[in-house]
Amino acid sequence: MCDQTFLVNVFGSCDKCFKQRALRPVFKKSQQLSYCSTCAEIMATDGLHESETLAALRSEAESLKGRLEEERAKLHDVELRQVAERVEALGQFVMKTRRTLKGHGNKVLCMDWCRDKRRIVSSSQDGKVIVWDSFTTNKEHAVTMPCTWVMACAYAPSGCAIACGGLDNKCSVYPLTFDKNENMAAKKKSVAMHTNYLSACSFTNSDMQILTASGDGTCALWDVESGQLLQSFHGHGADVLCLDLAPSETGNTFVSGGCDKKAMVWDMRSGQCVQAFETHESDINSVRYYPSGDAFASGSDDATCRLYDLRADREVAIYSKESIIFGASSVDFSLSGRLLFAGYNDYTINVWDVLKGTRVSILFGHENRVSTLRVSPDGTAFCSGSWDHTLRVWA
Amino acid sequence: MMSSTSDIGQARRAVEQLRMEAGIERVKVSKAATDLLQFCTEQAKSDPFLVGIPAATNPFKEKKPCTIL
């Protein structure tokens, strides 16, 4: 690749081998040296070696990917739905909207349940974050964020605080107070700082740490009190749109999904990606662990939801129908993991039999995209939020 | 010759990551699926959506609303 046609007009001591030879100028790290022709050739092939290494690494990466697929395929001895044939089919379900929460002035983007199984926090495009009592539909708290598109919100495990963020690139924590004289916004604490929008956030098992996902392609773990970054997770090739923490019994991992069509499982302590899955054909909008922690489901713009088993290290089920052509924005499991509730951009909610792979119910009611969906902590109901400005509690 | 140290660094990291992923222990789908099934079956009796909580005890179903005394 190097065409060195320099005139040899110097004779002297080679800078490399020190022998008396006809010398030619050679550039190493922008420094000019004088090498004899032998040493110059050796240097040229060293350069070749460097590019050979890059090509070798790339081809090793390709062959490793192939080997990964082979290893996964070897264990693919049966389909989940075949194993599920021996399980009883589910009966008919009657699920209806039992509460409608009205009050947001624009699209509802995110919601989360409090551990008390009754309170709900929701956030909207208009910058408002509202805490509701879902039994009575009363609004208990409301705060206006300094930014619009509050894409993420979460309830703290203690029920005493909420976290939220969006286009402000931050995740802020607001302590909840019932003192009418206190202004909620005054006690706001900025915890996370990303270089692009905040797409998801979740407290870990305590009020002390928050996990965030961002349009900047990374996830991060923060200490709430000090705002310090405890760990960052790099690996997604594009915006990260969602995350979910493993159920506490299974250990310190979480799963994230992104616009790079990948779902990645991370070790929270080391910051390393331990497993990655790339079978979706478009952005992954939502990921949720199966209640046992051994699997997780994902919902994507490719109009499918999929189930990935972590111990088999592969996709084990696809939930799709030819008639479903709009993206799935949000997924969650019922308490036993038998049902998967998925909200779609065609305004519907589909309920899937996780084991058999069939749809058991389709729920109508929202008048625009369903953007967020969570099952209550005791599994008695689930709540959906929509671009139609409302939230609905179904049971 | 363009400086390719960052490309090499990236390629090396990708290879290390793939080596690690290729090397993890895996379980057959039949075993994994059976375990998922077992979990579901065991938990089914405590899943309100499967078992169906009577209107009286489900706070969201309106027949007999909860009153806090």
Side-chain angles (χ1 to χ4, degrees), chain A residues 7 22 43 56 70 85 114-115 126 128 143-144 172 182 196 202 213 221 235 256 275 296 310 314-315 394:
Chain A
L7 264 172
M43 206 205 92
E70 270 172 38
E85 271 163 20
C114 177
R115 282 190 186 179
D126 65 358
K128 287 237 171 30
V143 75
T144 306
S172 307
E182 274 210 48
N196 209 327
S202 174
L221 181 65
S256 64
Q275 281 170 281
F296 69 90
L310 295 170
R314 62 172 298 123
E315 175 192 297
W394 307 75

Side-chain angles (χ1 to χ4, degrees), chain A residues 39-50:
Chain A
C39 291
E41 259 189 57
I42 293 175
M43 206 205 92
T45 51
D46 265 355
L48 260 179
H49 190 251
E50 201 181 84

